[in-house]
């Protein structure tokens, strides 16, 4: 049986509001997270990803009340990330309605936390989120960044993908910081190279600007495609992305009403 490609709107949240910028800079208000989540669920989104983009920068936990209000309004899987540092953080997020939890900086600071979370809750709960930049400093040409892309680490991004999966990450959310917010298309090379190295689901993120950008990411090996501003600003709907993927020969999951997708 062919597994359907998932289409995932991303809610980047700061101070309780959805924001969007270019390369994580010059953030602008894009709306209320609860209202947007409900709209995307109505459009047939397969999942939602909620990222508190300033939690790590501000050295605080995710905004739990916003997560809870969002989870109460939508009934599709919700992945939440931002400021996650421990298994206890994961327990609290699951308690307010998250289905999966994303971790980025917390895992870089203490890689052992990946195994601790996977052992306690199962690998399927843990999504390793990577903000990746191209860099001549690493063997692969890709480096992991933190703090919204503001700080480069010493980690080779591809080697980190492999290590994280070995430690128990059940899914990888691979965000190209070079492409993020540019609307110029996904970093297909990055997706291809990650796909060659790991056997867990890969979510492609960063750069979607046109309907024709999504199919190449799936062709490169992505199991899911994630986008933000093109949905927030009404460039196109989740259903239109699914239609474009279906026309390119990819399997997509129908919405409850079966509109637009096939």
């Amino acid at each position: 049986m062919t597994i359907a490609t998932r289409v995932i709107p991303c809610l980047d949240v700061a101070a309780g509001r959805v924001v969007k910028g270019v390369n994580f800079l010059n953030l602008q208000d894009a709306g209320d997270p609860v209202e947007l989540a409900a709209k995307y669920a109505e459009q047939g989104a397969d999942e939602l990803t909620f990222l508190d983009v300033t939690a790590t920068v501000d050295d605080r936990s995710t905004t739990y009340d916003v997560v809870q209000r969002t989870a109460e309004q939508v009934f599709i899987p919700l992945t939440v990330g931002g400021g996650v540092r421990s298994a206890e953080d994961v327990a609290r997020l699951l308690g307010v309605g998250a289905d999966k939890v994303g971790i980025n900086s917390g895992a870089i600071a203490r890689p052992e936390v990946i195994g601790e979370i996977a052992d306690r809750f199962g690998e399927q709960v843990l999504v390793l989120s990577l903000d990746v930049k191209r860099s001549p400093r690493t063997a692969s040409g890709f480096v992991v960044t933190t703090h919204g892309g503001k700080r480069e680490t010493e980690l080779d991004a591809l080697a980190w993908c492999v290590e994280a999966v070995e430690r128990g990450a059940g899914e990888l959310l691979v965000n190209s910081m070079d492409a993020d917010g540019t609307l110029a298309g996904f970093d297909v090379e990055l997706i291809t190279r990650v796909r060659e190295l790991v056997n867990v689901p890969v979510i492609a993120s960063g750069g979607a600007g046109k309907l024709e950008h999504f199919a190449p990411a799936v062709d490169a090996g992505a199991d899911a495609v994630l986008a933000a501003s093109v949905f927030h600003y009404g460039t196109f709907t989740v259903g239109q992305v699914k239609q474009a993927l279906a026309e390119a020969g990819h399997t997509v999951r129908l919405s409850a009403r079966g509109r637009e997708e096939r």
Side-chain angles (χ1 to χ4, degrees):
M1 179 175 130
T2 303
I3 298 176
T5 299
R6 290 170 288 147
V7 178
I8 306 174
C10 183
L11 306 176
D12 292 323
V13 177
R17 299 286 293 179
V18 176
V19 296
K20 193 57 190 167
V22 177
N23 306 130
F24 278 44
L25 300 174
N26 302 316
L27 298 179
Q28 299 178 354
D29 189 292
D32 177 75
V34 181
E35 292 176 3
L36 286 173
K39 180 175 78 171
Y40 298 143
E42 178 77 7
Q43 288 180 6
D46 297 293
E47 297 182 10
L48 290 171
T49 292
F50 178 114
L51 298 177
D52 190 328
V53 295
T54 59
T56 295
V57 176
D58 296 344
D59 193 26
R60 60 172 172 76
S61 300
T62 301
T63 309
Y64 292 98
D65 64 316
V66 180
V67 175
Q68 184 166 8
R69 287 191 292 115
T70 303
E72 288 170 350
Q73 293 298 314
V74 299
F75 303 98
I76 56 177
L78 176 63
T79 299
V80 181
V84 175
R85 300 175 183 85
S86 68
E88 289 306 317
D89 291 336
V90 173
R92 189 171 177 190
L93 286 170
L94 296 177
V96 296
D99 298 280
K100 294 187 282 188
V101 174
I103 188 169
N104 182 349
S105 300
I108 294 168
R110 196 170 67 86
E112 296 80 11
V113 74
I114 297 174
E116 293 167 5
I117 294 168
D119 289 345
R120 181 168 169 182
F121 304 104
E123 294 181 0
Q124 77 284 350
V125 163
L126 182 56
V127 180
L128 183 83
S129 180
L130 305 95
D131 292 327
V132 179
K133 280 184 179 178
R134 290 175 178 266
S135 171
R137 295 173 49 239
T138 62
S140 71
F142 294 98
V143 68
V144 175
T145 69
T146 64
H147 296 76
K150 296 179 179 66
R151 299 184 190 175
E152 288 193 11
T153 70
E154 298 299 318
L155 286 174
D156 183 301
L158 299 189
W160 178 230
C161 286
V162 173
E163 178 182 347
V165 170
E166 290 175 346
R167 287 180 177 273
E171 193 164 19
L172 300 178
L173 196 171
V174 183
N175 183 46
S176 169
M177 294 304 301
D178 301 303
D180 181 79
T182 64
L183 308 180
F186 293 95
D187 189 330
V188 173
E189 180 191 352
L190 174 60
I191 299 163
T192 300
R193 293 180 66 185
V194 172
R195 175 77 285 159
E196 290 170 348
L197 294 171
V198 300
N199 60 1
V200 299
V202 173
I203 304 169
S205 171
K210 299 179 180 179
L211 288 173
E212 55 264 35
H213 287 159
F214 291 89
V218 181
D219 291 335
D223 300 275
V225 285
L226 180 146
S229 57
V230 290
F231 293 137
H232 302 337
Y233 300 139
T235 307
F236 38 73
T237 66
V238 171
Q240 288 171 319
V241 172
K242 289 191 172 186
Q243 181 71 25
L245 287 170
E247 291 175 355
H250 297 292
T251 301
V252 294
R253 186 176 293 108
L254 297 176
S255 67
R257 298 180 308 280
R259 290 194 318 193
E260 298 183 290
E261 305 92 16
R262 70 166 189 242

